[in-house]
């Protein structure tokens, strides 16, 4: 008799910088119910683009990712495109932004905000 193994997908991970920025934004809004929603929409120069927004309520079919007191929401449609991705936060000459490193992307554009699979 062999043991049954459960597979838990990685969904997505957040870097320390991303966690710190989300926590800072939530604190500045003085609303502990805010959760970062990461999503994918059609468009952009490579076919799909990443989006980020804050939601207070998780939908029933959302996947929740929690790290160090920060909650990230991913809807089922976006999940298939960003499973295994990493969200980082950067500040530089181009401005400040969240960046997604996505192993599912076959190509990305120069700005890093759109991709194709």
């Amino acid at each position: 008799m062999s043991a049954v193994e459960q597979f838990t997908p990685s969904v997505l991970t957040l870097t320390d910088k991303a966690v710190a920025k989300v926590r800072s934004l939530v604190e500045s809004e003085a609303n502990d119910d805010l959760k970062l929603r990461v999503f994918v929409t059609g468009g952009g120069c490579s076919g799909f683009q990443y989006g980020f927004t804050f939601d207070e309520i998780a939908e029933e079919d959302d996947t929740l990712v929690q790290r160090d007191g920060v909650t990230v929401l991913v809807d089922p449609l976006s999940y298939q495109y960003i499973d295994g991705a990493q969200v980082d936060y950067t500040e530089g000459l181009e401005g400040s932004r969240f960046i997604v490193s996505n192993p599912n992307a076959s190509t990305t554009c120069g700005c890093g905000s759109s991709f194709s699979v």
Side-chain angles (χ1 to χ4, degrees):
M1 180 187 276
S2 63
V4 176
E5 293 183 39
Q6 284 189 321
F7 173 71
T8 304
S10 57
V11 186
L12 76 121
T13 58
L14 292 113
T15 65
D16 292 342
K17 288 180 183 178
V19 169
K21 185 60 180 180
V22 171
R23 186 178 295 120
S24 169
L25 291 168
V26 169
E27 288 172 359
S28 71
E29 292 295 319
N31 183 350
D32 291 338
D33 293 332
L34 291 178
K35 300 157 190 58
L36 180 67
R37 180 173 294 281
V38 179
F39 59 93
V40 173
T41 60
C45 42
S46 293
F48 296 102
Q49 59 189 6
Y50 303 108
F52 302 91
T53 189
F54 279 99
D55 275 340
E56 289 183 287
I57 299 172
E59 298 297 326
E60 187 176 306
D61 56 354
D62 282 340
T63 298
L64 278 68
V65 177
Q66 296 179 318
R67 177 171 176 227
D68 299 335
V70 167
T71 302
V72 176
L73 306 173
V74 181
D75 66 85
L77 180 62
S78 299
Y79 177 93
Q80 63 185 323
Y81 296 109
I82 61 174
D83 184 30
Q86 180 183 65
V87 178
D88 194 11
Y89 182 77
T90 186
E91 294 179 357
L93 293 175
E94 317 81 40
S96 57
R97 62 189 171 126
F98 288 103
I99 297 175
V100 178
S101 297
N102 189 344
N104 303 307
S106 61
T107 60
T108 61
C109 67
C111 66
S113 65
S114 71
F115 68 100
S116 65
V117 290

